[in-house]
Every structure is written in structure tokens, then in C-alpha cells.
Amino acid sequence: MQRRILGVLVAAFLGAGTLTAAASTASAAPVVPAAPAAPAAPAPPKVAVDFTGIVALSNCSGSLVRTPTAADSDPALVLTNGHCYEGGEPAPGQVITDQPSRRSFSLLDPSGQRSLGTLRASAMLYATMTDTDVALYRLNRSYASIRRTYNTPALELSLQHPTAGTDLRVVSGYWRRIYSCGLDGFAHRLREDQWTWNDSLRYTPECDVIGGTSGSPVIDAASGKVIGANNTINENGGQCTLNNPCEVDEAGNVTVHPHIGYAQETYMLAACIAAGSVIDFSRPGCLVPRG
């Protein structure tokens, strides 16, 4: 938990092989060329991931997000980490919901070089560090209003469990930096100090995130959808201590991956978001802890 502020194209056709003719006592049979193989289906193009929809907090990073079914008239939402909550880190077992908030967020331009303006929350809808590490704010403006003013759309939250091997982008509004790496796999339990998180995303080493990147959206580079919220890295090889998370498997075995970063999945929170940008724990697929 980062608390410090801180190619080559393959040939599309198979070779036809060596053509042969069957001899007969009278004359050679005609040779029929083999039909060329159908071209391989091209890989889907990757989305150009930049700072569109990215926000900076006073101590963390975050993103302007929406569900696939959100209406343009719905109040906009901002996603970050639970440990970035302005009221302090939620205790183990604590779930905070529907609290008034005036938290401000600096909305970045696509290059990340300047702020387009300040967005402001009207409520902190959900925050916890139990099983996951997420916080969701409702803003005092709609998606349509923000797009009219800043020409900035929200990032879409995926409703699907991520897949190992996915090409990732971790976009930090605080540091105005984009990390590129792969989804190495999943930690059954990720333990850091007094907190435990389930089914966490584990990065390949290239995403060497630092303090201030907490809350950055983890974006699937192929779809452009948000699949997680960046939240920690094992800084110096410590075991299960603050800033040094460890993995615990189903049998209780503990593993440490020094200098490897992690994120929390967001599909189970996205499923909880109902029309009007409210949290409805009864919705199918809503799997976050309840208050």
C-alpha cells in the first residue's frame, strides 16, 4: 500500500507443399494445385491509452468511471483506493457508505501535462480495505456536463473477471505517468499489515509503482476498460508488513515477491452500481463487503 506521497507479422498463407503427379501407364494425371489457406484473423487493435478520464487527488491517483449501462445524465463517479479516503484508512472489517464529501479532483488533459479543471464530490459512496481496497465517489456533475465542459469521457468499468496475460496500463494522475506491464496472475490472498485482500492482480515487474500511484486505474490495453485499482507493491522484500505485502495460498503457504506490484479487481464493485449512480448491494454480481 503506497502511503507515501511521493511483431512481427506471421505469413498469412501456408505453403502449398510439393506438388506431385500420380503416374499412370498411359499418361500423367493432371495436377490440381492446393487451395491457399485462409488468411489468419487480424488481432484486434489496441486502444491508445492516455490520460483521458484520469484525475489526481491530493495524496493519490484516480479515474472518472462509468458502467456500460450508465446514462449520460447520471452523476459521474470517481474511483480510487479505500486507503486514499480522506477520513483515514478504514479498519479491517469496516465498510463506509453514503458519507457527505467535498473531495476535489484535478481532471487531466489527454497528454497529462495540464489540468482541465477541478471536479468535486457530493458523496463518498463506498470505501473499504476489507477483501479489497477501493473507494468510489459520486460527483456533483453528470457525465454529460463534464463532457460538455471538458470534452472528456469517463472510462468504462469492465464487468468481467480479468484474464492472466492481459496487457496492462497503470495510469497515475498524481505522478502523470503511465506504467506498462502484463497481468502475471492472481494472489489468492494478499496480506499487508492488518489488511487482507482477495484475488488480487499481480503485475509483471515492469509496473514498479511508487507512492502516489495508489488508486490509479488498471486498464486493459486491448479494450480500454478499467479492470482494477492499483494499490500496493512489495518495496523491500518484507513479509506481510506495511508496504511489503505477501501472498497466502489456499493451503496457508506464504510467498513474498520483492518489488512486485498489485491491484484490486473492480468488476465486483462495478456490478453494484445502479441507475442514478447509487450502490445497490442486491444487484447480481455485487460481491464487495457490505456495511
Side-chain angles (χ1 to χ4, degrees):
M1 183 168 56
Q2 303 113 37
R3 302 176 67 200
R4 297 192 308 273
I5 303 305
L6 315 184
V8 178
L9 294 177
V10 178
F13 296 96
L14 299 176
T18 302
L19 298 179
T20 59
S24 71
T25 55
S27 62
V31 175
V32 180
K46 292 184 179 180
V47 176
V49 176
D50 57 18
F51 290 89
T52 299
I54 302 302
V55 302
L57 287 68
S58 59
N59 60 340
C60 288
S61 302
S63 54
L64 184 69
V65 295
R66 66 185 297 165
T67 64
T69 58
D72 290 343
S73 57
D74 285 343
L77 298 172
V78 163
L79 173 73
T80 187
N81 282 151
H83 76 259
C84 298
Y85 173 49
E86 69 268 33
E89 296 165 347
Q94 183 180 16
V95 176
I96 306 166
T97 59
D98 292 320
Q99 296 297 307
S101 176
R102 294 287 292 165
R103 191 81 184 265
S104 61
F105 311 92
S106 179
L107 179 66
L108 302 183
D109 76 340
S111 72
Q113 297 303 303
R114 66 186 182 92
S115 173
L116 296 173
T118 299
L119 304 177
R120 193 167 298 277
S122 61
M124 195 288 299
L125 286 183
Y126 185 88
T128 192
M129 290 179 66
T130 299
D131 294 346
T132 186
D133 183 9
V134 292
L136 193 67
Y137 289 87
R138 183 171 59 216
L139 304 186
N140 61 5
R141 300 181 64 171
S142 69
Y143 294 110
S145 172
I146 292 171
R147 188 150 194 171
R148 281 195 305 269
T149 302
Y150 303 112
N151 193 31
T152 299
L155 299 173
E156 184 175 314
L157 290 165
S158 172
L159 295 175
Q160 305 300 317
H161 188 283
T163 302
T166 298
D167 187 16
L168 304 178
R169 301 292 181 270
V170 181
V171 189
S172 171
Y174 185 88
W175 289 113
R176 305 187 182 199
R177 176 178 175 183
I178 299 176
Y179 297 81
S180 299
C181 61
L183 174 49
D184 183 56
F186 306 90
H188 175 68
R189 298 278 188 273
L190 190 66
R191 184 178 300 157
E192 182 173 333
D193 195 31
Q194 58 185 318
W195 295 281
T196 300
W197 307 307
N198 298 335
D199 198 24
S200 302
L201 308 180
R202 182 198 311 112
Y203 304 141
T204 55
E206 295 81 10
C207 283
D208 52 343
V209 292
I210 59 176
T213 63
S214 290
S216 300
V218 180
I219 299 173
D220 179 335
S223 68
K225 296 182 180 181
V226 175
I227 63 171
N230 172 71
N231 81 309
T232 194
I233 189 170
N234 185 289
E235 293 186 353
N236 53 37
Q239 181 173 302
C240 311
T241 60
L242 192 64
N243 301 317
N244 287 286
C246 63
E247 296 187 22
V248 184
D249 67 15
E250 293 91 336
N253 300 308
V254 175
T255 304
V256 172
H257 297 283
H259 313 299
I260 293 298
Y262 299 88
Q264 300 308 305
E265 297 170 345
T266 50
Y267 75 97
M268 70 284 275
L269 175 62
C272 307
I273 302 170
S277 299
V278 299
I279 298 294
D280 179 357
F281 292 112
S282 67
R283 289 173 60 84
C286 178
L287 302 175
V288 294
R290 306 181 182 192

